Amino acid sequence: MPLYRLEAVVLYHRYLGEADKIVTLYSRERGKVRAVARGARRPRNRLLAGTQPYSHSDFLLFSGKGLDTISQCELKESFYTLREDLQRMAAAAYVAELYDLLIEEGEKNEGLFFLLLSTLHLLTDGEDIDLALRYFELRFLSLLGYQPQLTQCVHCGGPIEGRALRFSGQLGGVLCPDCWGQDGRAVSLCQGTLEMLKRFLTMTPRTLRVLGAAPAVRRELERVLRICLEYRLPRELKSRRFLALVQGEGF
Ligand SMILES: [Zn+2]
């Protein structure tokens, strides 16, 4: 049976039988992969630590007739805070669900792998979970090829600097005042929010740690990016309600 190596993050695990589980991995080499981890729920099992949700590990797998099987794994980083702190856990579950819903199995994309790792770092020890998720959402959409048009009017190509703008999820970008009518559901977008979106596309996650945003800008960022994602999603996200609940309740 052919063996292969993967560097991967565990997105999900699902129990199988008494001691096994099926894990969904997002790997650097092969994108999303599902595999069986035999015995991984037994205490002291060598697969136990590395197959917990959000763990980052090196895996050795062998392929068989059905799902591939994990033979060995070596934990690189456990991200255990994401399984302990309710708000951080909800945010990580949201990220994992987006990877699961919008990415097909076996599509390699190293950019998405490194975005996942940097996002888990931000969610683990960053101060501003809210802004980290907005940054993640825009970078994620861009890496999938759905980057919204933010430098000119998405309909007429006209200038947008200093003008009253709206954002169209349907057209995938900013509308100048002459083109508002192109999408009756377009939402308002202030210049401050537009600038923040553009900064997200060029800055590193490290910069995000020192960035702040006014409450009005945060609300617009959340709304605009949610609209962008909703046009791509096959169904409503289960994790979004959990996230809204823990954030709203201030757990
Ligand atoms: Zn226009």
Side-chain angles (χ1 to χ4, degrees), residues 153 155-158 176 178-179:
C153 173
H155 182 68
C156 73
C176 77
D178 302 331
C179 301

Side-chain angles (χ1 to χ4, degrees), residues 13-247:
H13 67 171
R14 185 160 65 78
Y15 290 171
L16 178 72
E18 278 184 15
D20 307 339
K21 58 186 182 180
I22 295 176
V23 293
T24 304
L25 306 172
Y26 194 79
S27 71
R28 185 175 178 176
E29 297 84 354
R30 299 189 181 198
K32 199 167 76 177
V33 171
R34 288 199 312 141
V36 179
R38 301 221 179 273
R41 282 156 55 210
R42 291 205 177 95
R44 292 192 297 279
N45 184 280
R46 63 201 155 76
L47 302 182
L48 180 70
T51 57
Q52 297 294 315
Y54 319 123
S55 289
H56 172 208
S57 305
D58 283 323
F59 293 91
L60 185 65
L61 297 95
F62 57 87
S63 42
K65 273 186 183 168
L67 285 177
D68 295 354
T69 302
I70 298 172
S71 160
Q72 293 172 33
C73 75
E74 192 176 327
L75 184 68
K76 291 169 86 85
E77 189 152 17
S78 76
F79 291 111
Y80 71 91
T81 312
L82 302 179
R83 299 187 296 274
E84 306 274 319
D85 177 298
L86 204 54
Q87 282 217 28
R88 294 177 194 276
M89 183 195 295
Y94 171 71
V95 170
E97 192 175 10
L98 282 172
Y99 270 77
D100 197 36
L101 269 188
L102 286 177
I103 299 172
E104 298 293 326
E105 280 187 38
E107 284 181 9
K108 177 184 171 174
N109 185 327
E110 277 201 328
L112 283 170
F113 176 74
F114 289 115
L115 176 66
L116 179 59
L117 274 187
S118 62
T119 303
L120 294 181
H121 277 287
L122 281 171
L123 296 181
T124 297
D125 52 28
E127 296 286 317
D128 197 331
I129 294 175
D130 189 48
L131 221 49
L133 286 179
R134 301 295 87 79
Y135 175 80
F136 158 74
E137 288 166 339
L138 185 61
R139 301 293 287 240
F140 182 69
L141 283 163
S142 298
L143 284 165
L144 288 173
Y146 305 138
Q147 183 175 313
Q149 173 57 264
L150 300 171
T151 53
Q152 59 185 42
C153 173
V154 67
H155 182 68
C156 73
I160 54 174
E161 287 79 22
R163 306 181 78 187
L165 304 175
R166 289 198 177 167
F167 186 88
S168 165
Q170 188 187 348
L171 299 171
V174 177
L175 286 172
C176 77
D178 302 331
C179 301
W180 284 3
Q182 297 302 320
D183 178 4
R185 296 170 64 195
V187 296
S188 61
L189 181 78
C190 72
Q191 291 285 338
T193 307
L194 177 64
E195 286 312 309
M196 187 67 89
L197 288 167
K198 287 202 266 188
R199 282 189 75 180
F200 281 173
L201 288 175
T202 53
M203 71 189 204
T204 62
R206 192 184 297 268
T207 316
L208 192 72
R209 292 176 189 268
V210 294
L211 200 72
V217 169
R218 286 173 186 271
R219 279 195 298 276
E220 275 196 3
L221 284 171
E222 201 271 334
R223 184 167 60 169
V224 162
L225 289 163
R226 190 180 60 217
I227 290 170
C228 287
L229 283 166
E230 277 170 359
Y231 270 93
R232 308 295 169 189
L233 288 168
R235 63 162 169 81
E236 204 184 330
L237 292 166
K238 292 176 194 160
S239 56
R240 198 192 284 283
R241 221 170 297 159
F242 177 40
L243 184 63
L245 184 73
V246 297
Q247 286 185 335

